Structure formats: C-alpha cells, structure tokens
Amino acid sequence: MTELSIIIPVYNAEKYLESCLRSVLACPRDGLEVILSDDGSTDGSGALCDDWAGRDPRVRVFHRKNEGVSAARNYGIGDAQGTYTMFLDADDFLIERWWEPVWDQMDSGSAFIGFSYYSLYQDGSSREEPFPGEAKIRDPGEISRILLATPLLHPCWGKLFVTEVLKTKKVEFPVDRKIGEDYLFVLRYFSCISLSDSCLVNTPVLYYRQNQEGAMGNFRYGERVKSMEVLRNACRAYMEEKGIHGLEDAVAVYYFRGLTKLMRDASGAGNFGICKEIFRNLKREPVVEEILRSVSPDALPLYKRAEYRLIRRAPVGILAVYFMWKKNMKKR
C-alpha cells in the first residue's frame, strides 16, 4: 500500500536535484512513492530523473513538455497513488530522518497536516520558521489566523494533503498564475475540508532555499500587483464561504505589510526616476486604495503607521527616497 506520494516538479534543476532526491530516498519505508514531473528540462535534469528511477523502484518519472510548475504539479496529482500527497521543490531538501514526524502525523488521519521548515540562505546559514504557538496547533481559530494573516501556509511544500480530496474535489494549481499559485491551491483545499480536522506541527521537515539570484531583475511589477489583488479577493471569498469573522483587522494589516514589502522591493528595481514612476502608478492601482481604506492605522505598529501616512499623503518623490533608504538599510 502506498501511504505517501511526494511530487517534485523538475525544471532545469540539475544543480540541486541530486541532494533533493538523496534526502527523500533516505527514507527506508516501502509505502513511499516519489513522482518526478519533468517539465521539459533542457539541462541534465531529465537524465538524472531516469537514473534515479532505475536505482529505486519507488521513483516514477514523467517527462512532459514545458508548461510551468503548476501544470507539472497537477500532472503529479493525477498520477499520485498515496493516501497523502506532499509537494517538494527540486532545489529544496528534506531534513535527516524526516519520515519519522511525517509518518507519526499521518497515523492521526487528519485531513491537513502542516509542518514548519528551515530557511536556508546563500551564505549557508539557516533559520527555523515555526508556527506561532504550541508544538501542535489544532484550534480552528488559530489555524484560520495563520492561514489568512501570515505567509506561513502560503507555500504548498512541507504539508500533507489527502490525495482522495485532491482528486475527487479537483483541487489543482491555477496554470494561469505565476505568483501566488501555491496559496490559491492551499485555500481551495481548505475550502474542501474542515478546519477542525487540520493540524499544524512545529517540527521542521525541510530546508527551503532562499535564492535571491536575479531577484531585482525579475521584480515583475504588474504580476505582483495583480497577484496581490487576486490573493486578497480569494482570501475574502474564503472567509465569506467559511463564515469566518473577527480576523478582518489582522488580514488588513497583513495585506498592508505586503504592500509595503512590494514598495521596498520596487525601490531596488531601478534609479530614482524609475522608482518615482513605479510609485506613481502604484498609488493609482484600485487594490492599493482598497488596502489603504480597509486597514485601521491604530491596528498598525508605530513605524507602520508612519508608512501608512507617507503612502497616503507624501509626494511620490518622498516615497521613493524613503523606500530606497529602507531597502539599503535592509542590506546592511
């Protein structure tokens, strides 16, 4: 019986794929299957996938034309045979003896199980990213707050989803989105299960590479603004569907923080003139006005209140100077 399917989308991941698969296949259990969904790789990734499939019968490989990570994951869901499905990116890797906490929690039969993780930085340092609260969180209200007002449940990896729910409810990744597709998938899954049948576990199971290569060159202003609008709307729709109340202020603060992060990132996308133009366009975006209107300044920390007033009242030149300064301070 296959108990766990791990789906790994692969696209030109030759640099990291070996360490990823070594970490996964260190697991001694027969109830594991690893689905490598090769998304039309043009480097040696495809050959590496085939090599590992020849070495370990638990590995299955599917080579497909390049359609993007969402399509690659969706294909994997269609082929998954495990009771639970977990996603892992090819440039990340699982911790030593990861299967012990995973199988321990699988035995609980929960409809959703989320694990914490480590962020791994380019200098080799790492930092644990725990859920706020106890070692194990089952309270539906707290899970809702973490889901809707923090980024901790936005990624799909490091979590256990019931495969039957994914298939029967047709929970898939949106192939038309390149930013935020993980969170839309997670929200869709949560709409199909009961929060009381979910569990968050403060035991890290993987290392997530914080890869900033080319980040400024890939700022993608238009996509990020649209994503902010899509995710905010999806979040509100989920709250209405589930009848969740009392989190409106926390959610508004979370999206305001997202707006200020976008502005900080934008300040590194070019010179002063380019930054001014980006901020000028940003202030005209309807979603930005909605975020500013929905958040209460009193719910913000003092320095965020100052940023709120700046965004509301200051000329775009002052905004550019402030966020460029803030970006430079962040680098130190």
Side-chain angles (χ1 to χ4, degrees), residues 66 119 179 198 200 203 258 262 268 295 306 323:
N66 179 245
S119 283
I179 301 175
S198 305
L200 305 182
T203 300
L262 187 151
V295 70
F323 280 101

Side-chain angles (χ1 to χ4, degrees), residues 166-179:
L166 295 177
K167 292 187 175 187
T168 59
K169 299 297 184 180
K170 300 188 184 326
V171 182
E172 295 184 331
F173 292 86
V175 296
D176 60 338
R177 301 236 58 85
K178 294 183 179 180
I179 301 175

Side-chain angles (χ1 to χ4, degrees), residues 219-253:
F219 172 63
R220 298 186 293 182
Y221 164 81
E223 288 182 30
R224 287 187 59 174
V225 172
K226 182 61 179 176
S227 174
M228 189 163 56
E229 180 181 19
V230 169
L231 297 185
R232 185 170 175 271
N233 289 341
C235 179
R236 291 164 65 186
Y238 174 81
M239 292 173 69
E240 290 177 10
E241 176 190 345
K242 290 290 189 178
I244 296 173
H245 302 287
L247 288 177
E248 290 81 3
D249 284 347
V251 171
V253 168

Side-chain angles (χ1 to χ4, degrees), residues 112-164:
F112 174 87
I113 304 163
F115 296 92
S116 58
Y117 62 94
Y118 291 106
S119 283
L120 180 63
Y121 298 93
Q122 290 179 306
D123 63 2
S125 63
S126 63
R127 183 181 71 185
E128 185 175 350
E129 308 287 358
F131 300 111
E134 301 176 354
K136 190 177 294 185
I137 303 167
R138 289 192 174 276
D139 177 64
E142 182 60 13
I143 293 175
S144 289
R145 191 189 69 78
I146 293 169
L147 173 66
L148 299 168
T150 82
L152 293 171
L153 289 177
H154 283 214
C156 65
W157 34 255
K159 298 162 180 65
L160 295 177
F161 304 89
V162 175
T163 307
E164 184 180 4

Side-chain angles (χ1 to χ4, degrees), residues 58-303:
R58 297 174 297 176
V59 178
R60 293 193 288 137
V61 181
F62 298 90
H63 300 287
R64 306 182 187 275
K65 67 178 182 180
N66 179 245
E67 296 180 275
V69 65
S70 290
R73 287 170 175 159
N74 290 339
Y75 285 131
I77 292 171
D79 292 313
Q81 299 173 4
T83 303
Y84 283 96
T85 291
M86 176 189 282
F87 299 96
L88 181 65
D89 286 348
D91 56 348
D92 300 333
F93 59 96
L94 297 173
I95 67 168
E96 188 176 357
R97 305 187 70 82
W98 62 268
W99 57 89
E100 293 176 348
V102 168
W103 253 267
D104 181 56
Q105 295 304 318
M106 281 167 51
D107 288 342
S108 70
S110 297
F112 174 87
I113 304 163
F115 296 92
S116 58
Y117 62 94
Y118 291 106
S119 283
L120 180 63
Y121 298 93
Q122 290 179 306
D123 63 2
S125 63
S126 63
R127 183 181 71 185
E128 185 175 350
E129 308 287 358
F131 300 111
E134 301 176 354
K136 190 177 294 185
I137 303 167
R138 289 192 174 276
D139 177 64
E142 182 60 13
I143 293 175
S144 289
R145 191 189 69 78
I146 293 169
L147 173 66
L148 299 168
T150 82
L152 293 171
L153 289 177
H154 283 214
C156 65
W157 34 255
K159 298 162 180 65
L160 295 177
F161 304 89
V162 175
T163 307
E164 184 180 4
V165 175
L166 295 177
K167 292 187 175 187
T168 59
K169 299 297 184 180
K170 300 188 184 326
V171 182
E172 295 184 331
F173 292 86
V175 296
D176 60 338
R177 301 236 58 85
K178 294 183 179 180
I179 301 175
E181 71 279 2
D182 282 34
Y183 188 39
L184 294 173
F185 173 86
V186 172
L187 280 176
R188 169 77 179 111
Y189 183 82
F190 265 96
S191 73
C192 299
I193 65 170
S194 171
L195 282 167
S196 61
D197 199 17
S198 305
C199 179
L200 305 182
V201 183
N202 268 319
T203 300
V205 297
L206 65 83
Y207 283 90
Y208 166 66
R209 293 185 193 273
Q210 294 279 358
N211 188 353
Q212 296 300 315
E213 292 178 9
M216 288 305 99
N218 296 318
F219 172 63
R220 298 186 293 182
Y221 164 81
E223 288 182 30
R224 287 187 59 174
V225 172
K226 182 61 179 176
S227 174
M228 189 163 56
E229 180 181 19
V230 169
L231 297 185
R232 185 170 175 271
N233 289 341
C235 179
R236 291 164 65 186
Y238 174 81
M239 292 173 69
E240 290 177 10
E241 176 190 345
K242 290 290 189 178
I244 296 173
H245 302 287
L247 288 177
E248 290 81 3
D249 284 347
V251 171
V253 168
Y254 174 71
Y255 280 94
F256 178 77
R257 287 182 176 275
L259 171 61
T260 57
K261 183 181 186 307
L262 187 151
M263 298 182 83
R264 189 178 71 236
D265 290 347
S267 69
N271 59 32
F272 177 69
I274 292 174
C275 290
K276 280 179 61 177
E277 187 61 26
I278 290 175
F279 289 150
R280 183 176 291 111
N281 292 333
L282 193 60
K283 290 187 71 170
R284 294 171 181 160
E285 296 285 351
V287 65
V288 171
E289 180 55 38
E290 290 173 12
I291 289 172
L292 294 174
R293 187 168 55 245
S294 65
V295 70
S296 168
D298 291 340
L300 297 170
L302 284 175
Y303 79 100

